[in-house]
Amino acid sequence: MRIAVDVMGGDMGPAEMIPGALMASEQYGAQVVLVGDEATTKKVLRANGRGESEVEIVHAADSISMDEDPLSAVRHKRDSSLVVAARLVREGKAAAAVTAGSTGALVAAGPLVVGRLRGASRPALATPIPTTRGVPCIILDIGANPECQAKNLFEFAVMGSAYASALLGIENPRIGLLSNGTEASKGTSVVVEANQMLSASGLNFIGNIEGRSIFFGEADVVVMDGFTGNVVLKLAEGLGSAIFHMMKEEIGESFRAKIGALLMKPALKSVKKRMDYSEYGGAPLLGLSGLLVKAHGSSNRKAFANAVRVTSELLNEGLVENMSRSLSSMDGAGD
């Protein structure tokens, strides 16, 4: 299954995206198609000791920058690497596409270029985050839909359940709805209505959960609107970095602390790895008729390789097909 890779996206561009794609091909067996400026792509391939004929290249004359209006860019830059990669998916020339470029452009290109699945009124970005259980928790939406209706949250739960099954191998994922209290009456009117819909569904809905419960793994999937989800994700990233920064400061204060840190070094490295976004790959845009995956904008080659690896695994698990069946089985339940 061919994966179209947008090599022009991300903060580091082709110099890291291309080696990352090659790494995924060599280490994980992913069949990649490099999408971007042909001359630049060939130059980076040569710099990495690879022949131009060793990997397929699809030329894209343009690219979309992070500061462009996403919808306008997708509509007018049809030869941009991100749009060309998405078009390969729509045309069946690639099974999936991966980019570290503009999140907004990816969200716009999803329904416009690839198309939505029946039963998915809006696509949603989902990502795994670490928990104390050792098994990640899927949270969605993390930024595609700042404002949502109850129907959208219901659909996110259906899609998130299918994603958790494919990524984590959980047969019947526990679904929680993020709110400011565990009681069904807590939350905004949208959250209260979504709780009622989910309670009446056949999903494994465990009710409302509070933000502090996410990182203890009290649910396998946690549903929220995109504004809240983006705040939760970035707060988690910032808090993790801040804790490690404060620990380093405290360790430097005394000789005893340095000795203790030396003894704890293996455990600290293990915790840091569990909290490292580069280990988790990318965030798929769920609800589309093809698979589009967003890698972190600051991805280096290792992080990007993991994004391609996860994409390959989701394809092997038949994520899109399973999600389509799940949405069809719930068709009308969220109305």
Side-chain angles (χ1 to χ4, degrees):
M1 291 179 283
R2 300 162 82 231
I3 300 173
V5 177
D6 171 16
V7 302
M8 308 304 290
D11 297 342
M12 301 186 184
E16 287 294 306
M17 300 303 98
I18 292 174
L22 297 175
M23 187 185 301
S25 177
E26 294 167 355
Q27 297 184 6
Y28 311 120
Q31 186 179 352
V32 297
V33 179
L34 307 182
V35 182
D37 178 73
E38 188 172 7
T40 301
T41 301
K42 289 181 177 180
K43 181 179 179 180
V44 176
L45 284 173
R46 289 193 297 269
N48 283 271
R50 301 296 293 267
E52 298 171 6
S53 61
E54 292 183 43
V55 60
E56 184 178 354
I57 301 171
V58 173
H59 178 61
D62 212 340
S63 61
I64 297 175
S65 64
M66 296 291 189
D67 58 354
E68 290 184 77
D69 177 76
L71 186 57
S72 177
V74 169
R75 284 177 170 169
H76 295 101
K77 288 190 168 183
R78 298 183 179 181
D79 289 329
S80 63
S81 53
L82 191 155
V83 174
V84 171
R87 191 159 61 238
L88 290 175
V89 176
R90 183 193 67 194
E91 295 172 352
K93 296 176 181 177
V98 184
T99 182
S102 166
T103 300
L106 178 74
V107 171
L112 283 176
V113 181
V114 178
R116 294 191 298 264
L117 287 172
R118 179 180 176 182
S121 56
R122 294 187 186 179
L125 280 167
T127 190
I129 59 172
T131 72
T132 56
R133 292 178 60 240
V135 179
C137 169
I138 304 298
I139 63 171
L140 75 165
D141 178 27
I142 58 168
N145 306 279
E147 296 182 6
C148 293
Q149 298 176 354
K151 176 183 178 180
N152 304 134
L153 298 180
F154 177 85
E155 292 171 358
F156 296 169
V158 177
M159 297 189 294
S161 180
Y163 177 42
S165 294
L167 184 70
L168 307 176
I170 302 173
E171 186 174 344
N172 192 21
R174 300 164 299 152
I175 299 169
L177 181 63
L178 186 66
S179 188
N180 62 331
T182 57
E183 300 89 344
S185 60
K186 285 292 184 72
T188 64
S189 59
V190 170
V191 170
V192 172
E193 185 180 352
N195 183 295
Q196 294 169 352
M197 290 179 178
L198 289 166
S199 297
S201 73
L203 296 168
N204 186 12
F205 179 57
I206 62 172
N208 289 353
I209 74 165
E210 297 175 324
R212 60 187 175 188
S213 302
I214 296 175
F215 304 98
F216 289 93
E218 293 189 14
D220 302 306
V221 178
V222 180
V223 177
M224 60 202 79
D225 64 74
F227 178 86
T228 304
N230 197 266
V231 172
V232 168
L233 180 63
K234 290 177 179 176
L235 176 63
E237 290 178 346
L239 180 60
S241 297
I243 289 173
F244 274 97
H245 180 76
M246 287 186 283
M247 288 176 64
K248 285 182 179 180
E249 286 186 334
E250 292 298 322
I251 288 169
E253 291 295 317
S254 71
F255 178 74
R256 180 181 295 179
K258 290 178 182 178
I259 295 297
L262 186 63
L263 294 173
M264 290 186 64
K265 188 175 181 179
L268 292 173
K269 286 181 67 176
S270 179
V271 171
K272 187 175 182 180
K273 184 176 180 180
R274 285 171 62 180
M275 297 178 67
D276 185 1
Y277 75 87
S278 68
E279 297 290 334
Y280 290 90
L285 186 61
L286 304 179
L288 302 177
S289 56
L291 182 58
L292 300 185
V293 174
K294 174 67 174 69
H296 203 290
S298 60
S299 292
N300 57 19
R301 61 190 64 187
K302 174 190 172 184
F304 198 64
N306 275 328
V308 178
R309 169 185 59 80
V310 168
T311 302
S312 180
E313 291 172 354
L314 294 176
L315 287 173
N316 290 331
E317 292 294 330
L319 172 63
V320 174
E321 295 79 8
N322 293 338
M323 192 174 304
S324 179
R325 285 193 292 269
S326 297
L327 287 165
S328 296
S329 68
M330 294 285 177
D331 194 21
D335 294 333

